[in-house]
């Protein structure tokens, strides 16, 4: 379905994503990647009122697809935090895991 308020929806979702990322450690590669992408897309959305130009500049599909992508990313962040995905790894050394896999 066509979203008549796509620009405002995207602006809100990108802002919420940046806020949610504050719960991810600053050094995490995930945070760096998502923060960079989100800031870039937010700048494009804020920089134009032409939805077709926004879609073309971002290159991620139609506005409705961009909204779905942003919603998916926003829903993933709290799940990763809850799963302790960014805690330091305390398991077996990589060499031991590789040895076990070769058996």
């Amino acid at each position: 379905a066509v979203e008549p308020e796509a620009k405002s929806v995207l602006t809100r979702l990108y802002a919420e994503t940046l806020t949610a990322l504050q719960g991810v450690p600053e050094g995490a590669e995930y945070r760096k990647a998502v923060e960079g992408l989100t800031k870039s897309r937010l700048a494009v959305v804020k920089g134009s009122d032409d939805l077709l130009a926004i879609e073309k500049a971002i290159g991620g599909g139609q506005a409705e697809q961009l909204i779905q992508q942003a919603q998916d990313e926003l829903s993933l962040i709290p799940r990763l935090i809850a799963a302790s995905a960014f805690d330091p790894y305390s398991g077996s050394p990589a060499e031991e895991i590789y040895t076990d896999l070769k058996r």
Side-chain angles (χ1 to χ4, degrees), residues 13-78:
L13 287 169
Y14 291 148
E16 288 178 17
T17 299
L18 292 173
T19 300
L21 284 170
Q22 299 305 307
V24 177
E26 286 186 29
E29 290 301 319
Y30 172 78
R31 177 175 172 169
K32 292 176 190 176
V34 174
E35 202 168 47
L37 178 71
T38 303
K39 285 180 178 179
S40 171
R41 288 183 172 195
L42 181 58
V44 169
V45 171
K46 285 184 173 182
S48 177
D49 287 329
D50 181 357
L51 202 51
L52 292 176
I54 291 170
E55 292 171 348
K56 185 175 180 182
I58 291 176
Q62 295 176 329
E64 294 75 19
Q65 292 170 305
L66 297 174
I67 289 169
Q68 185 62 54
Q69 293 165 15
Q71 289 170 333
D72 290 347
E73 196 68 59
L74 187 56
S75 71
L76 178 63
I77 295 168

